[in-house]
């Protein structure tokens, strides 16, 4: 039996699989939810990177205009039933390459602001080549205060293994010094074929010397539908590299803010995923509500067609059991290295130890968790085992779901066991 199946059965106390069905509604019940985040997906890229699994296609200006119109309409469909403007924690633009629609982002933010009050800020994903004075000033002018730059690596051998062209980054430091953002994240990939600890260390050093306030490090994963030049390195090597990142980050006085994220101390943190609840707009965007998880169609044409009919573009819906929802919460809370016992109680109305006392006990016994007042902290050992489980989850769940969703705009059902 697969690791994911064993953990699902043990933690949910049920043999019930995660069953996503082609069910959708014309409204979403989110008005009374707290700590709500927003995400907008821009599914266009200049070229398609083989290693990237996300929903995207080659940029076409005319198609982007059609997509923008549908995106604005989706925001209206979701927001129109609010009795008052809804406070949300943050808004993130991901992709794809959001900068390809940089002239449209202001209109999208304006439309979102008709229904939502964004409290903590707005973040946008960028490529290195997008980091220009003109682009950054445009982003600042529309309220963006956080950026995440998809570097992956500065090393030519690593870029070659990923199938990416080298980008000129000689001016990035001076540009970031001229246009200030509260948070500058740089994404790096570890365990790339041809990568060494020394080249990874150089990537980390360069990222911070060029102006990063944090780095997000992700393991190289070979999705079944990718066309990668090289295969991933084995788990022992990944473990060694992740441990090296943690040790080196401590050495240079960085704070570990999640399993894969390391930041300068006292800096504003950039994270697009650790929210108790969130609404997703655009193709492939996901929505997490109190008792449901929803996924929008991966097809731009299918997405636009559904919106034109005045209906939400939901492709699949998962109705959580209580324990399934709790496990989902704990999975992403663990990613942030901290599980807030009070936060769990506020969300579910039950003590975390009532439902998960024994797993917590085992986590403490085996050195994966440390309890400090109302918080359970993952140790570095716990972070590695989270990383290992996340890899298994990605292979068993995400790979299957995204592969099917790429081929079928509105699947009838997907069962994840």
């Amino acid at each position: 039996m697969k690791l994911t199946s064993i953990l699902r059965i043990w933690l949910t106390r049920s043999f019930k699989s995660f069953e996503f069905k082609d069910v959708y509604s014309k409204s979403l019940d989110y008005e009374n939810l707290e700590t709500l985040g927003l995400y907008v997906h821009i599914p266009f890229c200049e070229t398609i990177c083989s290693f990237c699994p996300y929903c995207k296609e080659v940029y076409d200006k005319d198609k982007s205009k059609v997509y923008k119109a549908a995106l604005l309409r989706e925001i209206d469909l979701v927001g129109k039933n609010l009795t008052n403007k809804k406070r949300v924690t943050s808004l993130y633009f991901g992709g794809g390459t959001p900068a390809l629609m940089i002239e449209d982002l202001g209109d999208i933010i304006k439309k979102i602001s008709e229904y939502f009050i964004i409290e903590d800020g707005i973040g946008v994903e960028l490529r290195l080549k997008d980091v220009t004075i003109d682009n950054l000033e445009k982003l600042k002018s529309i309220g963006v205060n956080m950026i995440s730059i998809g570097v992956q690596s500065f090393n030519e051998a690593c870029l070659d293994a990923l199938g990416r062209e080298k980008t000129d980054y000689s001016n990035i430091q001076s540009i970031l010094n001229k246009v200030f953002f509260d948070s500058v994240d740089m994404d790096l990939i570890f365990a790339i074929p041809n990568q060494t600890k020394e080249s990874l260390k150089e990537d980390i050093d360069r990222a911070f010397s060029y102006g990063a306030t944090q780095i997000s490090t992700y393991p190289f994963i070979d999705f079944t539908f990718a066309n990668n030049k090289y295969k991933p390195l084995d788990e022992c090597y990944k473990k060694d590299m992740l441990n090296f990142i943690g040790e080196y980050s401590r050495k240079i006085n960085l704070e570990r803010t999640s399993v894969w994220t390391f930041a300068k101390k006292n800096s504003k943190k950039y994270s697009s995923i650790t929210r108790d609840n969130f609404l997703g707009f655009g193709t492939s965007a996901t929505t997490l509500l109190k008792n449901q998880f929803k996924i929008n169609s991966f097809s731009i044409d299918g997405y636009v067609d559904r919106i034109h009919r005045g209906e939400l573009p939901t492709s699949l819906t998962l109705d959580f059991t209580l324990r399934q929802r709790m496990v989902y919460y704990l999975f992403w809370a663990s990613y942030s290295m901290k599980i807030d016992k009070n936060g769990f109680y506020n969300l579910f109305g039950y003590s975390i130890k009532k439902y998960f006392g024994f797993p917590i006990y085992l986590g403490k016994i085996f050195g994966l968790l440390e309890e400090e007042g109302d918080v359970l902290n993952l140790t570095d050992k716990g972070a590695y085992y989270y990383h290992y489980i996340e890899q298994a989850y990605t292979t068993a769940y995400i790979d299957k779901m995204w592969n099917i969703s790429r081929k079928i705009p509105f699947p009838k059902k997907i069962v994840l066991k």
Side-chain angles (χ1 to χ4, degrees):
M1 185 179 290
K2 296 182 296 186
L3 174 63
T4 50
S5 299
I6 293 170
L7 289 173
R8 172 180 53 78
I9 293 167
W10 181 46
L11 293 174
T12 65
R13 304 276 181 88
S14 170
F15 287 96
K16 181 179 175 63
S17 300
F18 294 108
E19 189 172 288
F20 292 80
K21 299 178 181 179
D22 63 338
V23 176
Y24 68 97
S25 57
K26 293 187 178 181
S27 63
L28 300 175
D29 184 15
Y30 64 88
E31 187 164 9
N32 296 321
L33 295 178
E34 297 182 4
T35 60
L36 185 72
L38 303 179
Y39 173 78
V40 175
H41 189 74
I42 305 297
F44 300 108
C45 291
E46 281 186 336
T47 58
I48 304 299
C49 296
S50 60
F51 70 90
C52 175
Y54 296 105
C55 174
K56 75 278 184 189
E57 63 177 61
V58 175
Y59 175 73
D60 176 88
K61 187 174 183 179
D62 291 336
K63 197 164 189 177
S64 74
K65 290 180 180 178
V66 173
Y67 182 75
K68 174 188 173 182
L71 187 57
L72 297 178
R73 177 62 178 143
E74 184 190 8
I75 296 166
D76 279 329
L77 290 172
V78 172
K80 67 181 181 180
N81 293 324
L82 284 172
T83 53
N84 297 292
K85 279 193 176 184
K86 173 72 176 170
R87 292 187 177 275
V88 296
T89 56
S90 51
L91 165 63
Y92 288 91
F93 288 89
T97 308
L100 290 174
M101 293 181 64
I102 196 165
E103 303 298 337
D104 301 306
L105 298 186
D107 291 336
I108 297 168
I109 292 170
K110 183 178 179 181
K111 174 60 68 175
I112 285 173
S113 298
E114 291 179 17
Y115 305 103
F116 302 98
I117 300 170
I118 303 164
E119 295 186 323
D120 292 344
I122 302 171
V124 175
E125 294 178 359
L126 301 172
R127 301 166 298 174
L128 271 173
K129 66 186 295 183
D130 298 324
V131 182
T132 65
I133 295 290
D134 183 52
N135 280 346
L136 298 190
E137 287 181 343
K138 285 178 181 177
L139 293 175
K140 289 279 289 188
S141 71
I142 58 175
V144 174
N145 66 328
M146 299 176 285
I147 56 174
S148 177
I149 306 169
V151 174
Q152 319 316 343
S153 178
F154 295 102
N155 182 274
E156 288 190 43
C158 291
L159 292 173
D160 178 67
L162 293 173
R164 285 182 68 129
E165 294 181 0
K166 182 182 176 182
T167 301
D168 180 15
Y169 47 80
S170 57
N171 294 324
I172 189 172
Q173 182 179 11
S174 62
I175 292 170
L176 291 173
N177 283 339
K178 290 175 183 175
V179 187
F180 175 79
F181 288 87
D182 294 340
S183 177
V184 177
D185 171 79
M186 291 192 187
D187 287 350
L188 300 174
I189 296 178
F190 68 90
I192 303 170
N194 300 327
Q195 190 178 54
T196 64
K197 289 182 181 177
E198 184 59 32
S199 65
L200 179 57
K201 174 183 173 296
E202 289 177 1
D203 279 346
I204 295 170
D205 289 341
R206 283 187 177 184
F208 285 104
S209 69
Y210 291 150
T213 60
Q214 72 169 50
I215 55 170
S216 296
T217 61
Y218 301 103
F220 177 65
I221 301 172
D222 185 37
F223 288 82
T224 58
F225 49 86
N227 184 29
N228 289 316
K229 184 176 180 179
Y230 297 98
K231 295 299 177 185
L233 302 174
D234 63 42
E235 276 303 320
C236 288
Y237 193 80
K238 286 183 181 179
K239 177 181 180 181
D240 197 30
M241 294 295 265
L242 182 59
N243 286 341
F244 171 76
I245 296 169
E247 291 166 3
Y248 184 65
S249 295
R250 256 194 314 273
K251 183 178 178 181
I252 59 176
N253 204 31
L254 300 178
E255 177 186 3
R256 190 171 197 166
T257 56
S258 79
V259 170
W260 294 330
T261 305
F262 304 84
K264 289 183 176 180
K265 292 184 177 178
N266 302 315
S267 63
K268 185 177 179 66
K269 308 305 183 288
Y270 184 111
S271 174
S272 60
I273 56 176
T274 49
R275 299 291 181 272
D276 293 346
N277 307 282
F278 49 83
L279 299 175
F281 301 100
T283 54
S284 78
T286 57
T287 289
L288 177 64
L289 304 176
K290 185 175 182 179
N291 300 310
Q292 287 185 324
F293 185 87
K294 293 177 172 287
I295 306 170
N296 281 355
S297 175
F298 276 51
S299 164
I300 294 178
D301 292 337
Y303 169 84
V304 170
D305 179 66
R306 182 73 74 77
I307 295 292
H308 281 173
R309 288 191 271 134
E311 299 174 340
L312 294 179
T314 308
S315 170
L316 294 163
T317 299
L318 167 66
D319 290 310
F320 286 111
T321 65
L322 177 61
R323 287 191 72 103
Q324 283 179 339
R325 182 65 176 87
M326 288 176 170
V327 169
Y328 186 95
Y329 171 85
L330 291 175
F331 182 83
W332 288 112
S334 297
Y335 175 75
S336 67
M337 303 286 289
K338 295 180 184 295
I339 302 171
D340 182 354
K341 290 185 281 186
N342 290 330
F344 183 94
Y345 181 85
N346 291 337
L347 191 60
F348 299 109
Y350 297 100
S351 162
I352 189 172
K353 290 191 174 179
K354 173 180 172 63
Y355 280 84
F356 299 99
F358 185 59
I360 290 171
Y361 169 77
L362 291 179
K364 291 161 64 177
I365 288 294
F366 288 105
L368 310 178
L369 291 172
E370 292 177 347
E371 192 164 11
E372 185 178 351
D374 292 326
V375 177
L376 294 163
N377 296 306
L378 259 70
T379 62
D380 284 348
K381 182 179 179 181
Y384 167 70
Y385 280 100
Y386 177 95
H387 154 85
Y388 182 77
I389 291 168
E390 198 282 339
Q391 299 286 282
Y393 159 79
T394 296
T395 301
Y397 288 0
I398 294 179
D399 188 292
K400 178 180 179 179
M401 176 168 288
W402 287 1
N403 198 11
I404 293 172
S405 296
R406 287 167 64 251
K407 299 172 182 176
I408 306 171
F410 296 97
K412 291 296 181 185
K413 182 192 292 188
I414 296 178
V415 179
L416 303 177
K417 298 181 180 180

